[in-house]
Amino acid sequence: MKDAKKPTRASSSSRLGGRLAGVASMLVLVSLGFVLGVTSSNAMFIRFYLPFIAPLRSTTAAAASSSPSPQSPPTPSSPPPPPPQEHQQTGALPAGFLSAGPSDGVMHNMTDEELYWRASMAPMIRHAPSSRVPKVAFLFLVRGDLPLRPLWEKFFEGHQGLYSIYVHAHPSYSGSPPPDSVFYGRYIPSQRTKWGDASLVEAERRLLANALLDLGNERFALFSEACIPVYDFPTVHAFLTGANTSFVDCYENGGSRSRYRPFFATRNITLGLWRKGAQWFEMDRALALESVADGACFPAFRDFCVGRAECLIDEHYLPTLVTVLGWGSRNANRTLTYADWKRAVNRHPHTHAGEEVSEELIRGIREDGGGRCFYNGGRNGICNLFARKFAPDALEPLLRVAPKVMGFG
């Protein structure tokens, strides 16, 4: 008689198969949990340790976005995120800060500290590609409107790609040049300025920093709303881009030393380094970088101005910085902007009204200095490329004489 409790061969095989199926199911569940855990941890790592990479979308969300409901139009897909920047030492800076550039226009939301940091970067390879055409950056430090704008527009006409324009106006200014003007959209983020105050130098450095963001800019020249060109653009461009020096007015005499104070000695600026000069400079990219990156000389001047109604450092900071840097023969020690100090009024040069403007006046400015000026080590007949100060009512007379004397218009 057969034992009823003894399992048959068929039932043993069935039980063995069930156990194998259970083990397989368990392995599938464990593998699935492992994959989900790895995916989750990777996403967490990217989100917390790579802040410049957008979080990964789930496959469910991706499938949903690829098949929109017929009741609503599909939303346009957003552009892919930019690649992570290799500036981990800067911390979690806003992505827009690292991606902003000259192609985005001159308006931005960077602080001055961020702007100076970004502008102080320089290519490690000194020699630029041969196809690169150097540009001149024209920096305008103004109150608001540019009354002589039509004259400058005639000057720039037909020379696109050889210049850049940057305008620093009072932050309350809400006007704008017409859309067809070369000055349209060229007003940079600005701060309040005051004559005789450190804020003027801060505005100059702000202009330089914005212009340095464009790697095509090789020369940098500062102007007020009362400045004019006295030569045509090709002459100015060739003169500036061909120069092997900067043009920062820099001299030492009894008048310049009278403003020196012992305070500066505590900041390593001795009387022997103290200099004076006209505010209106023209410099190369190397000196512009030094000015923007300066973390010693300018803070000394700025601190000196605290609590003083007039510290007049706009006439001393840059000439002194050039001396502190030991620029030597790399600076021509003169400005290229003429001013009539023979008829000065209240510490300001003479202002040329419209009735004074004539061919003789412009020729006299162009010929002023004669053969006393040097260029690249030799004597040169050009001492002044620009001039100031011209009143707003001088515009029409200037437009009339420009084709006859200045070579444009």
Coordinates of all heavy atoms in Angstrom, one line a residue, residues 189-220:
P189 N 24.6 100.6 -16.3 CA 24.1 100.8 -15.0 C 25.0 101.8 -14.2 O 26.2 101.6 -14.2 CB 24.2 99.4 -14.4 CG 24.1 98.4 -15.5 CD 24.8 99.1 -16.6
S190 N 24.4 102.8 -13.6 CA 25.2 103.9 -13.1 C 24.9 104.1 -11.6 O 23.9 103.6 -11.0 CB 25.0 105.1 -13.9 OG 23.6 105.5 -13.8
Q191 N 25.7 105.0 -11.0 CA 25.5 105.5 -9.6 C 25.6 107.0 -9.6 O 26.1 107.6 -10.6 CB 26.5 104.9 -8.7 CG 26.5 103.4 -8.6 CD 25.2 102.8 -7.9 OE1 24.7 103.5 -7.1 NE2 24.8 101.6 -8.3
R192 N 25.2 107.6 -8.6 CA 25.3 109.1 -8.4 C 26.7 109.5 -8.4 O 27.6 108.9 -7.9 CB 24.6 109.6 -7.2 CG 23.1 109.4 -7.2 CD 22.5 109.8 -5.8 NE 21.1 109.6 -5.8 CZ 20.2 110.6 -6.1 NH1 20.6 111.8 -6.5 NH2 18.9 110.3 -6.1
T193 N 27.0 110.7 -9.1 CA 28.3 111.3 -9.0 C 28.2 112.7 -8.6 O 27.2 113.4 -8.7 CB 29.0 111.2 -10.4 OG1 28.1 111.9 -11.4 CG2 29.1 109.8 -10.9
K194 N 29.3 113.2 -8.1 CA 29.4 114.6 -7.6 C 30.8 115.1 -7.9 O 31.8 114.5 -7.7 CB 29.2 114.6 -6.1 CG 29.2 116.0 -5.4 CD 29.1 115.9 -3.9 CE 29.2 117.3 -3.3 NZ 29.2 117.2 -1.8
W195 N 30.8 116.4 -8.4 CA 32.1 117.0 -8.8 C 33.0 117.1 -7.5 O 32.6 117.4 -6.4 CB 31.8 118.4 -9.3 CG 33.1 119.1 -9.8 CD1 33.7 118.9 -11.0 CD2 33.9 120.0 -9.0 NE1 34.9 119.7 -11.0 CE2 35.0 120.3 -9.8 CE3 33.8 120.5 -7.7 CZ2 36.0 121.2 -9.4 CZ3 34.8 121.4 -7.3 CH2 35.8 121.8 -8.1
G196 N 34.3 116.7 -7.7 CA 35.2 116.8 -6.7 C 35.2 115.6 -5.7 O 35.8 115.7 -4.6
D197 N 34.4 114.6 -6.0 CA 34.1 113.5 -5.1 C 34.7 112.2 -5.6 O 34.9 112.1 -6.9 CB 32.6 113.4 -4.8 CG 32.3 112.4 -3.8 OD1 32.6 112.6 -2.6 OD2 31.7 111.3 -4.1
A198 N 34.9 111.2 -4.8 CA 35.4 109.9 -5.2 C 34.4 109.2 -6.2 O 34.9 108.4 -6.9 CB 35.7 109.0 -4.0
S199 N 33.2 109.6 -6.1 CA 32.2 109.0 -7.0 C 32.5 109.2 -8.5 O 32.1 108.4 -9.3 CB 30.8 109.5 -6.7 OG 30.7 110.9 -6.8
L200 N 33.2 110.3 -8.8 CA 33.6 110.5 -10.2 C 34.6 109.4 -10.7 O 34.5 108.9 -11.8 CB 34.2 111.9 -10.3 CG 33.3 113.1 -10.5 CD1 34.1 114.4 -10.6 CD2 32.4 112.9 -11.7
V201 N 35.6 109.1 -9.8 CA 36.5 108.1 -10.2 C 35.9 106.7 -10.2 O 36.2 105.9 -11.1 CB 37.7 108.1 -9.2 CG1 38.7 107.0 -9.5 CG2 38.4 109.4 -9.2
E202 N 34.9 106.5 -9.3 CA 34.2 105.2 -9.3 C 33.4 105.1 -10.7 O 33.4 104.0 -11.2 CB 33.2 105.2 -8.2 CG 33.9 105.0 -6.8 CD 32.9 105.0 -5.7 OE1 31.9 105.8 -5.8 OE2 33.2 104.3 -4.7
A203 N 32.9 106.2 -11.2 CA 32.2 106.1 -12.4 C 33.1 105.8 -13.6 O 32.8 105.1 -14.5 CB 31.4 107.5 -12.7
E204 N 34.3 106.4 -13.5 CA 35.3 106.1 -14.6 C 35.7 104.7 -14.6 O 35.8 104.0 -15.6 CB 36.6 107.0 -14.3 CG 36.3 108.5 -14.5 CD 37.6 109.3 -14.1 OE1 38.7 108.6 -13.9 OE2 37.5 110.5 -13.9
R205 N 35.9 104.1 -13.4 CA 36.3 102.7 -13.3 C 35.1 101.8 -13.7 O 35.3 100.7 -14.3 CB 36.7 102.4 -11.8 CG 37.9 103.1 -11.4 CD 38.3 102.8 -9.9 NE 38.9 101.5 -9.8 CZ 38.5 100.6 -8.9 NH1 37.5 100.8 -8.1 NH2 39.1 99.4 -8.8
R206 N 33.9 102.2 -13.4 CA 32.7 101.5 -13.9 C 32.6 101.4 -15.4 O 32.3 100.4 -16.0 CB 31.5 102.1 -13.3 CG 30.2 101.2 -13.2 CD 29.1 101.9 -12.4 NE 29.5 102.0 -11.0 CZ 29.5 103.1 -10.3 NH1 29.3 104.3 -11.0 NH2 29.8 103.2 -9.1
L207 N 32.9 102.6 -16.0 CA 32.9 102.6 -17.5 C 34.0 101.7 -18.1 O 33.8 101.0 -19.0 CB 33.2 104.1 -18.0 CG 31.9 105.0 -17.9 CD1 32.4 106.5 -18.0 CD2 31.0 104.7 -19.1
L208 N 35.2 101.8 -17.5 CA 36.3 100.9 -17.9 C 35.9 99.4 -17.8 O 36.2 98.6 -18.7 CB 37.5 101.2 -17.1 CG 38.3 102.4 -17.5 CD1 39.5 102.7 -16.5 CD2 38.9 102.3 -18.9
A209 N 35.3 99.1 -16.7 CA 35.0 97.7 -16.4 C 34.0 97.2 -17.4 O 34.1 96.1 -17.9 CB 34.5 97.5 -15.0
N210 N 32.9 98.0 -17.7 CA 32.0 97.6 -18.7 C 32.6 97.4 -20.1 O 32.3 96.5 -20.8 CB 30.8 98.6 -18.8 CG 29.8 98.4 -17.7 OD1 28.9 97.6 -17.8 ND2 29.9 99.1 -16.6
A211 N 33.5 98.3 -20.4 CA 34.1 98.2 -21.7 C 35.1 97.0 -21.8 O 35.3 96.4 -22.9 CB 34.9 99.5 -22.0
L212 N 35.7 96.7 -20.7 CA 36.6 95.5 -20.7 C 35.9 94.2 -20.9 O 36.6 93.2 -21.3 CB 37.4 95.5 -19.4 CG 38.6 96.4 -19.2 CD1 39.0 96.5 -17.8 CD2 39.7 96.1 -20.1
L213 N 34.6 94.1 -20.7 CA 33.9 92.9 -21.0 C 33.9 92.5 -22.4 O 33.7 91.3 -22.8 CB 32.4 93.0 -20.5 CG 32.2 93.2 -19.0 CD1 30.7 93.4 -18.7 CD2 32.8 92.1 -18.2
D214 N 34.1 93.5 -23.3 CA 34.2 93.2 -24.7 C 35.7 93.1 -25.0 O 36.5 94.0 -25.0 CB 33.6 94.4 -25.5 CG 33.6 94.1 -27.0 OD1 34.3 93.2 -27.5 OD2 32.9 94.8 -27.7
L215 N 36.1 91.8 -25.3 CA 37.5 91.6 -25.6 C 38.1 92.2 -26.8 O 39.3 92.3 -27.1 CB 37.8 90.1 -25.6 CG 37.5 89.3 -24.3 CD1 37.7 87.8 -24.6 CD2 38.4 89.8 -23.2
G216 N 37.2 92.8 -27.7 CA 37.6 93.5 -28.9 C 38.1 94.9 -28.6 O 38.8 95.5 -29.4
N217 N 37.8 95.4 -27.4 CA 38.2 96.8 -27.1 C 39.7 96.8 -26.7 O 40.1 96.1 -25.7 CB 37.3 97.4 -26.0 CG 35.9 97.6 -26.4 OD1 35.7 98.0 -27.6 ND2 35.0 97.5 -25.5
E218 N 40.5 97.6 -27.4 CA 41.9 97.6 -27.1 C 42.4 99.0 -26.5 O 43.3 99.1 -25.8 CB 42.7 97.3 -28.3 CG 42.9 95.9 -28.6 CD 43.7 95.1 -27.6 OE1 44.6 95.7 -27.0 OE2 43.3 93.9 -27.3
R219 N 41.6 100.1 -26.9 CA 41.9 101.4 -26.4 C 40.7 102.0 -25.7 O 39.6 101.7 -26.2 CB 42.4 102.3 -27.5 CG 43.5 101.7 -28.3 CD 44.8 101.5 -27.6 NE 45.5 102.7 -27.1 CZ 46.8 102.8 -26.8 NH1 47.6 101.8 -27.0 NH2 47.2 104.0 -26.4
F220 N 40.9 102.8 -24.7 CA 39.8 103.3 -23.9 C 40.0 104.8 -23.7 O 41.0 105.2 -23.2 CB 39.7 102.6 -22.6 CG 39.7 101.1 -22.7 CD1 40.8 100.4 -23.0 CD2 38.5 100.4 -22.6 CE1 40.8 99.0 -23.1 CE2 38.4 99.0 -22.7 CZ 39.6 98.3 -23.0

